[in-house]
Amino acid sequence: MAPNRGSRGDDDVIRITTAPHNPQDDIDRRRRRYVISITIRTLCFVGAALVGAGPLRWVLLAGAFFLPYVAVVMANSASQRIDGTDLVAPSGGHRELGG
């Protein structure tokens, strides 16, 4: 006999609002952020070469130096849905659907 999954004794309630995103969508989103960050890094290198000597060159080089770290951290952060609202038990008088 199959266990009754809809029993009121279950303490772990799963709501769709707290379900994680589709894994493939999450990977695509992280990949897109990584490509954008590395593109900005490349533009910083090119900009530093074109600007010439001066403080802007050092700012662009610093950006090109630190952006790979930021890109990897952002690419490795998986999306988590967190919903702080609690489930409220239905008030009396409402009937439940049977299993």
Side-chain angles (χ1 to χ4, degrees):
M1 192 162 142
N4 186 1
R5 294 183 183 177
S7 68
R8 296 296 261 163
D10 291 337
D11 290 335
D12 296 332
V13 178
I14 299 173
R15 294 179 286 171
I16 192 64
T17 57
T18 59
H21 293 283
N22 179 348
Q24 188 59 45
D25 291 343
D26 188 42
I27 289 171
D28 291 342
R29 182 185 51 81
R30 289 190 283 161
R31 184 178 295 142
R32 191 171 29 256
R33 286 193 316 193
Y34 181 80
V35 167
I36 290 169
S37 181
I38 294 304
T39 301
I40 294 171
R41 178 183 189 231
T42 303
L43 292 175
C44 284
F45 270 126
V46 171
L50 294 177
V51 168
L56 182 58
R57 172 188 234 174
W58 296 110
V59 171
L60 291 172
L61 286 175
F65 180 76
F66 288 110
L67 272 173
Y69 171 75
V70 173
V72 169
V73 169
M74 285 183 359
N76 287 333
S77 65
S79 175
Q80 298 288 329
R81 282 198 180 183
I82 299 172
D83 189 1
T85 59
D86 294 330
L87 287 176
V88 178
S91 59
H94 294 288
R95 297 179 58 179
E96 295 183 6
L97 295 174

